[in-house]
Structures are given as C-alpha cells and as structure tokens.
Amino acid sequence: MMKNSTAFQLASTVQLMGMIFLFFLNSCRSPKVLIDAEVHHEMTFGKGQWILVDPIYDRNWNHFEDLYVEGFTSLIGDSLHTLNQVRQTHLLAEELNFEQSGRSLEELGTILKEFDYLIMCKALTVAEEASSISSHEIGQGASVFHNEVTVGIAIYDLKEQQLISKITGTGTSHDVSSPGDSWRLMDTPDVIAHKTLQKILEHYGLH
C-alpha cells in the first residue's frame, strides 16, 4: 500500500513539474507580429495637444488599455488628454468611429478647436482555435491550430482634417500537432494583443 502511495505521489510530482515546464516555455514564447504602416506622415509627438480615444475591441483584455494609455503617455507626455477628460468640457458623440470621414473630422475640428491630434485604437480577434496549453488526443491525426489578433492605430490631424498615420499590427500564434503529440503550446489572443500593441508603440519610438 505504501509503495502504491509513493508511486502515485511521484507520478503526481512528475506531472506537476511537466506542467510547470510547459507554462515556463509558454511564457518564453512570443507571437509573430507583422507591422503594416499603411499611412505614416512625419509627426512630432511632443508638439501640440493630443486626444487619446478609448480602444475599440471585441473583448475586454486585461491591462490592454493600460498599455495603450501608458505607451502614448510616455511618447507624448503632459500634452496627452484622454477622451473621458475631454468629454467633461466638450459635447461629443457617444462613440467615435475608428475610420473617420472627412465630414466627421470637420465636425470634430470645429468642436475641439484647442486640440491638434486624435489617436484611435481598434483590436479584433481574427482566430482563436486553442488556449495557451491544450491537450491533443494521441492518434486523432495531425492538427493545425491558429490564434490571430489585429491591432490598428489611427492618428488624425484635427487642424488639417486628415489621417496622418495608420499602422496595423497582425499577431499570430501557430502550432501544428502531429499524431504523437499530447500537448500544444499557444499564445492566447490576450497575450498576442498585448505583444502586437507593444510592437506598434515601439514602431512609433517607444523604448
């Protein structure tokens, strides 16, 4: 009986160590991020007054907005104002579209006369086929798993009423499980979104 108990404890310990090792590996992994600077005019972040609009996304990822605010605060400094701060003194629509038309920019420019730039963010889950660590039944055949998120940043010049920067980051985590694999490692959309936003901020000059 003692031998069986010891063997069970040993097996449990080995299994626990294996799970810890998998979590460690997953923390070291990094999704692949591709950056597309569709529009990118010259700009100086420390010049003028900036408004940071709340992110538009299909799910509320933990701390995503914190990184968004902290990143642009580091780039711009005291000249950055959140949309919630601006709403205290200006009457604005309940929601602002990521894609601003010429007419809407003209209206915003009239209302926000003392501001120069508007920063928008949109983050969407394109694919979510696996969690961070998921089991894979041996013998079920080879399987392909794919998680993907897109994060877009758009910056508008309110004085010139035009789009001056639009950068889209596509973050992916990809895994092919062979028939003999029992586990797969994947970055979750939450992790991918954060890494993708970080890459875009770095593209803008954040260190």
Side-chain angles (χ1 to χ4, degrees):
M1 190 64 139
M2 183 68 69
K3 289 183 179 180
N4 291 338
S5 177
T6 303
F8 176 78
Q9 290 176 354
L10 179 60
S12 298
T13 301
V14 170
Q15 185 178 19
L16 177 61
M17 291 178 64
M19 290 294 292
I20 293 173
F21 177 66
L22 286 172
F23 275 112
F24 173 76
L25 282 179
N26 193 54
S27 66
C28 297
R29 289 163 61 88
S30 182
K32 182 178 180 181
V33 178
L34 296 177
I35 300 295
D36 182 11
E38 302 173 49
V39 179
H40 195 54
H41 297 174
E42 289 293 328
M43 71 183 90
T44 304
F45 279 114
K47 182 180 179 181
Q49 298 297 312
W50 301 70
I51 299 174
L52 192 68
V53 180
D54 299 342
I56 301 167
Y57 37 31
D58 55 357
R59 61 191 66 190
N60 190 13
W61 291 311
N62 292 329
H63 308 301
F64 181 88
E65 189 167 353
D66 294 339
L67 175 60
Y68 174 60
V69 174
E70 291 168 5
F72 278 105
T73 299
S74 297
L75 287 168
I76 298 170
D78 295 337
S79 299
L80 183 70
H81 311 268
T82 65
L83 185 62
N84 288 334
Q85 293 171 333
V86 175
R87 287 189 186 280
Q88 295 176 13
T89 53
H90 297 74
L91 184 61
L92 296 167
E94 185 175 345
E95 294 183 1
L96 298 181
N97 295 326
F98 181 79
E99 302 285 351
Q100 290 287 318
S101 66
R103 182 175 179 178
S104 62
L105 282 175
E106 184 178 354
E107 292 174 352
L108 287 172
T110 301
I111 298 171
L112 304 168
K113 292 180 179 179
E114 67 270 42
F115 296 98
D116 301 284
Y117 303 101
L118 187 74
I119 304 173
M120 308 283 296
C121 177
K122 180 171 68 174
L124 298 174
T125 303
V126 178
E128 184 177 8
E129 298 178 351
S131 57
S132 57
I133 296 182
S134 304
S135 62
H136 171 81
E137 290 184 22
I138 297 176
Q140 77 174 73
S143 301
V144 178
F145 302 95
H146 181 75
N147 289 345
E148 181 176 335
V149 171
T150 61
V151 178
I153 297 291
I155 301 178
Y156 296 91
D157 186 323
L158 294 173
K159 295 289 191 288
E160 299 296 328
Q161 297 172 4
Q162 65 174 338
L163 175 69
I164 58 174
S165 180
K166 184 178 181 182
I167 296 179
T168 301
T170 302
T172 58
S173 183
H174 191 73
D175 180 74
V176 178
S177 297
S178 65
D181 293 339
S182 58
W183 296 95
R184 60 177 176 267
L185 294 174
M186 297 285 289
D187 291 299
T188 62
D190 191 341
V191 171
I192 296 172
H194 281 75
K195 297 284 180 67
T196 304
L197 176 58
Q198 182 66 43
K199 288 291 185 182
I200 294 176
L201 291 169
E202 290 172 1
H203 187 87
Y204 278 124
L206 184 68
H207 301 292

